[in-house]
Amino acid sequence: MSDDETYDAGYDDWLDAVEDGEAYYLEGPDGDGWLPPRRVDPATGSRELTEKRLPETGEVETFTVVHVPTPAFEQDAPFATAIARFGPARITGIVEADPGDVEVGMTVAVGVMETETTGDRAVVFRPQ
């Protein structure tokens, strides 16, 4: 990360944990799962969030193939963006696969990649 980049303490700390193989989520009192920098469980309003280890694999619930991206991803297109469920937590990321091979129900692991366009870190799902 260069000196002129902004560091988002909650989100970037989470990406660091994912890169280190220590991915986690925050669990609310009713068992709902959230990602940092969440400070309040939106389902209950509780501030009682417990850090839990994220399951090693998740399942793609839905996805879309992006052919015309924002300028921040123009060199990365086409790509599939998916929402995958890892236990009680749902995560959005880019699927590291040919977009035509992505399907609902596929098993994925979460990781971190650098985008081709900006070199910024992003959440990636790797098929298992």
Side-chain angles (χ1 to χ4, degrees):
M1 182 174 306
S2 67
D3 293 334
D4 63 337
E5 291 183 43
T6 303
Y7 190 83
D8 180 338
Y11 181 67
D12 284 317
D13 290 340
W14 184 78
L15 288 177
D16 291 344
V18 171
E19 285 182 317
D20 293 341
E22 311 236 344
Y24 62 93
Y25 67 95
L26 302 173
E27 185 177 78
D30 288 347
D32 298 313
W34 312 101
L35 296 182
R38 177 84 52 201
R39 289 188 168 83
V40 175
D41 181 339
T44 65
S46 174
R47 294 183 180 272
E48 302 292 322
L49 299 173
T50 305
E51 191 173 300
K52 300 278 187 163
R53 182 127 176 110
L54 191 73
E56 289 186 22
T57 61
E59 184 175 295
V60 171
E61 291 188 330
T62 189
F63 71 94
T64 189
V65 177
V66 178
H67 293 279
V68 182
T70 66
F73 290 93
E74 89 183 317
Q75 294 174 11
D76 297 273
F79 59 89
T81 297
I83 297 174
R85 180 169 294 280
F86 289 78
R90 295 173 78 202
I91 303 172
T92 302
I94 297 171
V95 183
E96 192 175 76
D98 182 285
D101 295 336
V102 178
E103 55 190 39
V104 170
M106 76 186 305
T107 301
V108 293
V110 68
V112 178
M113 63 172 270
E114 287 188 9
T115 66
E116 288 184 41
T117 307
T118 64
D120 290 339
R121 295 190 306 170
V123 174
V124 65
F125 297 133
R126 296 186 172 104
Q128 297 297 291

